[in-house]
mmCIF file of all heavy atoms in Angstrom:
data_model
loop_
_atom_site.group_PDB
_atom_site.id
_atom_site.type_symbol
_atom_site.label_atom_id
_atom_site.label_comp_id
_atom_site.label_asym_id
_atom_site.label_seq_id
_atom_site.Cartn_x
_atom_site.Cartn_y
_atom_site.Cartn_z
ATOM 1 N N SER B 53 -16.743 22.284 -10.034
ATOM 2 C CA SER B 53 -17.009 20.851 -10.157
ATOM 3 C C SER B 53 -16.157 20.037 -9.189
ATOM 4 O O SER B 53 -14.974 20.322 -8.992
ATOM 5 C CB SER B 53 -16.715 20.392 -11.592
ATOM 6 O OG SER B 53 -17.527 21.069 -12.511
ATOM 7 N N LYS B 54 -16.750 18.997 -8.653
ATOM 8 C CA LYS B 54 -16.020 18.079 -7.786
ATOM 9 C C LYS B 54 -15.210 17.128 -8.647
ATOM 10 O O LYS B 54 -15.765 16.305 -9.370
ATOM 11 C CB LYS B 54 -16.997 17.311 -6.891
ATOM 12 C CG LYS B 54 -17.682 18.192 -5.878
ATOM 13 C CD LYS B 54 -18.713 17.420 -5.064
ATOM 14 C CE LYS B 54 -19.451 18.373 -4.132
ATOM 15 N NZ LYS B 54 -20.552 17.702 -3.397
ATOM 16 N N GLN B 55 -13.897 17.264 -8.571
ATOM 17 C CA GLN B 55 -13.000 16.413 -9.340
ATOM 18 C C GLN B 55 -12.797 15.069 -8.651
ATOM 19 O O GLN B 55 -12.687 14.037 -9.302
ATOM 20 C CB GLN B 55 -11.646 17.116 -9.502
ATOM 21 C CG GLN B 55 -10.564 16.315 -10.182
ATOM 22 C CD GLN B 55 -10.811 16.147 -11.666
ATOM 23 O OE1 GLN B 55 -11.511 16.940 -12.271
ATOM 24 N NE2 GLN B 55 -10.253 15.120 -12.253
ATOM 25 N N ASP B 56 -12.725 15.120 -7.326
ATOM 26 C CA ASP B 56 -12.430 13.914 -6.546
ATOM 27 C C ASP B 56 -12.985 14.118 -5.153
ATOM 28 O O ASP B 56 -12.572 15.037 -4.463
ATOM 29 C CB ASP B 56 -10.910 13.701 -6.507
ATOM 30 C CG ASP B 56 -10.486 12.460 -5.742
ATOM 31 O OD1 ASP B 56 -11.326 11.816 -5.081
ATOM 32 O OD2 ASP B 56 -9.283 12.128 -5.794
ATOM 33 N N GLU B 57 -13.949 13.314 -4.779
ATOM 34 C CA GLU B 57 -14.492 13.402 -3.423
ATOM 35 C C GLU B 57 -14.331 12.084 -2.689
ATOM 36 O O GLU B 57 -15.108 11.760 -1.791
ATOM 37 C CB GLU B 57 -15.947 13.871 -3.439
ATOM 38 C CG GLU B 57 -16.859 13.082 -4.325
ATOM 39 C CD GLU B 57 -18.274 13.665 -4.354
ATOM 40 O OE1 GLU B 57 -18.719 14.260 -3.347
ATOM 41 O OE2 GLU B 57 -18.947 13.515 -5.399
ATOM 42 N N SER B 58 -13.298 11.368 -3.047
ATOM 43 C CA SER B 58 -13.086 10.035 -2.493
ATOM 44 C C SER B 58 -12.766 10.037 -1.008
ATOM 45 O O SER B 58 -12.891 9.015 -0.347
ATOM 46 C CB SER B 58 -11.949 9.334 -3.252
ATOM 47 O OG SER B 58 -10.738 10.064 -3.128
ATOM 48 N N GLY B 59 -12.345 11.175 -0.476
ATOM 49 C CA GLY B 59 -11.975 11.231 0.933
ATOM 50 C C GLY B 59 -13.089 11.660 1.862
ATOM 51 O O GLY B 59 -12.915 11.659 3.087
ATOM 52 N N MET B 60 -14.231 11.997 1.322
ATOM 53 C CA MET B 60 -15.342 12.418 2.178
ATOM 54 C C MET B 60 -15.782 11.228 3.024
ATOM 55 O O MET B 60 -16.087 10.162 2.494
ATOM 56 C CB MET B 60 -16.494 12.936 1.321
ATOM 57 C CG MET B 60 -16.132 14.205 0.579
ATOM 58 S SD MET B 60 -15.997 15.612 1.673
ATOM 59 C CE MET B 60 -17.661 16.283 1.505
ATOM 60 N N PRO B 61 -15.847 11.419 4.337
ATOM 61 C CA PRO B 61 -16.055 10.257 5.219
ATOM 62 C C PRO B 61 -17.450 9.653 5.151
ATOM 63 O O PRO B 61 -17.591 8.438 5.299
ATOM 64 C CB PRO B 61 -15.763 10.822 6.616
ATOM 65 C CG PRO B 61 -15.883 12.297 6.485
ATOM 66 C CD PRO B 61 -15.576 12.649 5.090
ATOM 67 N N ASN B 62 -18.462 10.460 4.967
ATOM 68 C CA ASN B 62 -19.839 9.935 4.919
ATOM 69 C C ASN B 62 -20.763 11.044 4.436
ATOM 70 O O ASN B 62 -20.324 12.166 4.144
ATOM 71 C CB ASN B 62 -20.266 9.443 6.309
ATOM 72 C CG ASN B 62 -20.041 10.489 7.379
ATOM 73 O OD1 ASN B 62 -20.625 11.576 7.316
ATOM 74 N ND2 ASN B 62 -19.189 10.181 8.345
ATOM 75 N N ASN B 63 -22.043 10.719 4.324
ATOM 76 C CA ASN B 63 -22.967 11.685 3.740
ATOM 77 C C ASN B 63 -23.407 12.780 4.704
ATOM 78 O O ASN B 63 -24.270 13.598 4.371
ATOM 79 C CB ASN B 63 -24.194 10.966 3.167
ATOM 80 C CG ASN B 63 -24.941 10.173 4.231
ATOM 81 O OD1 ASN B 63 -24.671 10.303 5.425
ATOM 82 N ND2 ASN B 63 -25.875 9.347 3.800
ATOM 83 N N ARG B 64 -22.803 12.831 5.877
ATOM 84 C CA ARG B 64 -23.064 13.981 6.747
ATOM 85 C C ARG B 64 -22.234 15.192 6.320
ATOM 86 O O ARG B 64 -22.444 16.292 6.817
ATOM 87 C CB ARG B 64 -22.724 13.626 8.195
ATOM 88 C CG ARG B 64 -23.618 12.539 8.782
ATOM 89 C CD ARG B 64 -23.344 12.301 10.264
ATOM 90 N NE ARG B 64 -22.027 11.745 10.507
ATOM 91 C CZ ARG B 64 -20.984 12.452 10.948
ATOM 92 N NH1 ARG B 64 -21.116 13.744 11.203
ATOM 93 N NH2 ARG B 64 -19.817 11.855 11.155
ATOM 94 N N PHE B 65 -21.317 14.972 5.416
ATOM 95 C CA PHE B 65 -20.442 16.042 4.939
ATOM 96 C C PHE B 65 -20.890 16.455 3.533
ATOM 97 O O PHE B 65 -21.039 15.621 2.649
ATOM 98 C CB PHE B 65 -18.988 15.568 4.883
ATOM 99 C CG PHE B 65 -18.361 15.412 6.227
ATOM 100 C CD1 PHE B 65 -18.671 14.318 7.021
ATOM 101 C CD2 PHE B 65 -17.472 16.349 6.705
ATOM 102 C CE1 PHE B 65 -18.092 14.169 8.284
ATOM 103 C CE2 PHE B 65 -16.879 16.210 7.952
ATOM 104 C CZ PHE B 65 -17.190 15.119 8.735
ATOM 105 N N LEU B 66 -21.066 17.770 3.352
ATOM 106 C CA LEU B 66 -21.475 18.289 2.059
ATOM 107 C C LEU B 66 -20.607 19.481 1.718
ATOM 108 O O LEU B 66 -20.548 20.452 2.469
ATOM 109 C CB LEU B 66 -22.947 18.713 2.078
ATOM 110 C CG LEU B 66 -23.441 19.391 0.795
ATOM 111 C CD1 LEU B 66 -23.387 18.416 -0.380
ATOM 112 C CD2 LEU B 66 -24.864 19.918 0.992
ATOM 113 N N ALA B 67 -19.927 19.390 0.588
ATOM 114 C CA ALA B 67 -19.074 20.482 0.143
ATOM 115 C C ALA B 67 -19.662 21.106 -1.111
ATOM 116 O O ALA B 67 -20.164 20.400 -1.982
ATOM 117 C CB ALA B 67 -17.658 19.991 -0.131
ATOM 118 N N GLU B 68 -19.547 22.419 -1.171
ATOM 119 C CA GLU B 68 -20.018 23.146 -2.341
ATOM 120 C C GLU B 68 -19.012 24.224 -2.703
ATOM 121 O O GLU B 68 -18.282 24.717 -1.847
ATOM 122 C CB GLU B 68 -21.396 23.770 -2.062
ATOM 123 C CG GLU B 68 -22.488 22.735 -1.830
ATOM 124 C CD GLU B 68 -23.840 23.373 -1.551
ATOM 125 O OE1 GLU B 68 -23.879 24.420 -0.871
ATOM 126 O OE2 GLU B 68 -24.860 22.826 -2.021
ATOM 127 N N ARG B 69 -19.069 24.579 -3.957
ATOM 128 C CA ARG B 69 -18.223 25.678 -4.420
ATOM 129 C C ARG B 69 -18.999 26.437 -5.484
ATOM 130 O O ARG B 69 -18.852 26.214 -6.677
ATOM 131 C CB ARG B 69 -16.893 25.186 -4.975
ATOM 132 C CG ARG B 69 -15.917 26.340 -5.211
ATOM 133 C CD ARG B 69 -14.589 25.877 -5.754
ATOM 134 N NE ARG B 69 -13.684 27.004 -5.892
ATOM 135 C CZ ARG B 69 -12.555 26.969 -6.599
ATOM 136 N NH1 ARG B 69 -12.202 25.870 -7.222
ATOM 137 N NH2 ARG B 69 -11.780 28.030 -6.682
ATOM 138 N N THR B 70 -19.810 27.334 -5.017
ATOM 139 C CA THR B 70 -20.698 28.080 -5.883
ATOM 140 C C THR B 70 -19.906 29.039 -6.763
ATOM 141 O O THR B 70 -19.105 29.839 -6.250
ATOM 142 C CB THR B 70 -21.719 28.866 -5.052
ATOM 143 O OG1 THR B 70 -22.382 27.955 -4.181
ATOM 144 C CG2 THR B 70 -22.736 29.544 -5.949
ATOM 145 N N GLY B 71 -20.144 28.964 -8.069
ATOM 146 C CA GLY B 71 -19.501 29.896 -8.980
ATOM 147 C C GLY B 71 -17.999 29.738 -9.087
ATOM 148 O O GLY B 71 -17.309 30.588 -9.659
ATOM 149 N N GLY B 72 -17.492 28.680 -8.525
ATOM 150 C CA GLY B 72 -16.054 28.434 -8.629
ATOM 151 C C GLY B 72 -15.200 29.378 -7.812
ATOM 152 O O GLY B 72 -13.995 29.497 -8.055
ATOM 153 N N THR B 73 -15.828 30.025 -6.829
ATOM 154 C CA THR B 73 -15.035 30.937 -5.990
ATOM 155 C C THR B 73 -14.824 30.301 -4.625
ATOM 156 O O THR B 73 -14.076 29.335 -4.519
ATOM 157 C CB THR B 73 -15.733 32.299 -5.875
ATOM 158 O OG1 THR B 73 -17.069 32.102 -5.381
ATOM 159 C CG2 THR B 73 -15.793 32.986 -7.234
ATOM 160 N N TYR B 74 -15.522 30.810 -3.612
ATOM 161 C CA TYR B 74 -15.313 30.244 -2.278
ATOM 162 C C TYR B 74 -16.006 28.900 -2.169
ATOM 163 O O TYR B 74 -16.861 28.545 -2.977
ATOM 164 C CB TYR B 74 -15.825 31.223 -1.214
ATOM 165 C CG TYR B 74 -17.322 31.367 -1.167
ATOM 166 C CD1 TYR B 74 -18.095 30.547 -0.342
ATOM 167 C CD2 TYR B 74 -17.975 32.313 -1.944
ATOM 168 C CE1 TYR B 74 -19.460 30.660 -0.297
ATOM 169 C CE2 TYR B 74 -19.343 32.436 -1.909
ATOM 170 C CZ TYR B 74 -20.088 31.615 -1.091
ATOM 171 O OH TYR B 74 -21.448 31.733 -1.062
#
Side-chain angles (χ1 to χ4, degrees):
Chain B
S53 300
K54 292 176 184 175
Q55 175 72 24
D56 181 351
E57 53 184 330
S58 61
M60 294 289 265
N62 52 61
N63 59 10
R64 295 185 294 102
F65 288 76
L66 175 64
E68 295 180 323
R69 191 180 183 195
T70 306
T73 55
Y74 70 91

